[in-house]
Amino acid sequence: TFSTQLVDGVHEAVGDVHEAARRAANPRRWDEEDGRFEVHASLPATLLVRAPGYAPALHALADARAAHGAVVVTLRRGLQLEGVVRNAEGEPVADAQIYLDAVPPPAQYLSNAAASSGLDGAFVLRDLPPEPRNLFAIHPNYAPAWQTVTPKPLGAPPIEITLRPGGTIEGRVLYGGEPVENALVQAGPVGVVGVGAPGTRTDAAGAYRLDNLTEGTLAAWARLEMHDASVPLRQPQSVRRAVRELHLGAGQTRRVDFAFEPAASAIVGKVRVSGAVPYNAVISATPLDGVEGEHWSGPVDIDGSYSLQGLPAGWAAVTVTLYRMFPDSDAESQEFPEEAVFLEDGERLIRDFDFELPG
């Protein structure tokens, strides 16, 4: 017994099913002894095949003539990761969330395994491909832990994961000297891809506290949502973010405050890539004059418009990044060369950007 599903790792967000698959009521299940299946799709598309005991497989259906008739999908026997989570005293930790790091689409469909540790701290992830991955363990009472692992056949020695208490950061978020309520504050280790960034919201006094953070070098950041009343449909239109880097030891508490100064300038306009509206694009601006550690970003809307609000006067570097939009490339993103713009105090600068895709 196996299931097939059409996925699109290029033009759809992670986890979305291709529209053709929805029309065909996929996933489809088949119990044919000879392993035959039939799928109706609008091409190009990617076929995802899963079966108990096997690692998932992807098969590209790019050309209608080539896809017509028999398509052979070969499945490999799946491997597994078995392990146990303990604390520093050697006691088992129950209810730890175990997961593998994210991978660029469409490969994320091949390894989305996750598990929770039992009362004895044990967990198992099954039907995995053989490639090495980063394994993470998360528990609210401990700092996150991770290690690079390679899936093994059944019977291999279990992986040992040790969770330890982490450090704490606390402080306030201010805008123009006044407390900001409901601002998002997050922190995560520098240089580690895949580990979650714990977050919290500030209270009415602008105060926040983050516990059990990983010891070592961390980046902490606060986000303010900057709204443009002239474009009410997009909420938020842009985000202003301040970043602070710090070193945190186990059991240590550090104070990190974020003080934003009011700014009234804005950049608005439209983005085109090779003459068309880009799919899944983000525009960002970094001030070049005197605002250290702050960054503005926002989405490019479905009509190509964007709005970056609350920027300071002076020079800023503007960058457009496209995510997951290349059918014939493994690249997850394409960042176009930054352009420098100058903003007068309180100016609403209209600036359109037109880029060409390489090649």
Side-chain angles (χ1 to χ4, degrees), residues 87-106:
N87 59 24
E89 289 72 39
E91 302 167 333
V93 177
D95 297 323
Q97 301 303 305
I98 312 297
Y99 65 94
L100 297 171
D101 59 347
V103 295

Side-chain angles (χ1 to χ4, degrees), residues 140 142-144 166-170 198 200 209-214 248 253:
Y142 301 92
T168 296
I169 64 171
E170 59 184 9
T200 188
R209 180 184 174 96
L210 287 172
D211 294 310
N212 289 313
L213 298 174
T214 304
L248 188 66
T253 298

Side-chain angles (χ1 to χ4, degrees), residues 27-44:
R28 304 281 295 274
R29 300 189 64 86
W30 306 90
D31 299 310
E32 305 271 355
E33 291 186 359
D34 59 3
R36 290 183 298 170
F37 64 91
E38 180 178 321
V39 173
H40 300 272
S42 59
L43 303 181

Side-chain angles (χ1 to χ4, degrees), residues 12-30:
E12 295 289 340
V14 174
D16 281 359
V17 180
H18 192 278
E19 179 63 29
R22 286 192 284 267
R23 292 197 301 268
N26 279 315
R28 304 281 295 274
R29 300 189 64 86
W30 306 90

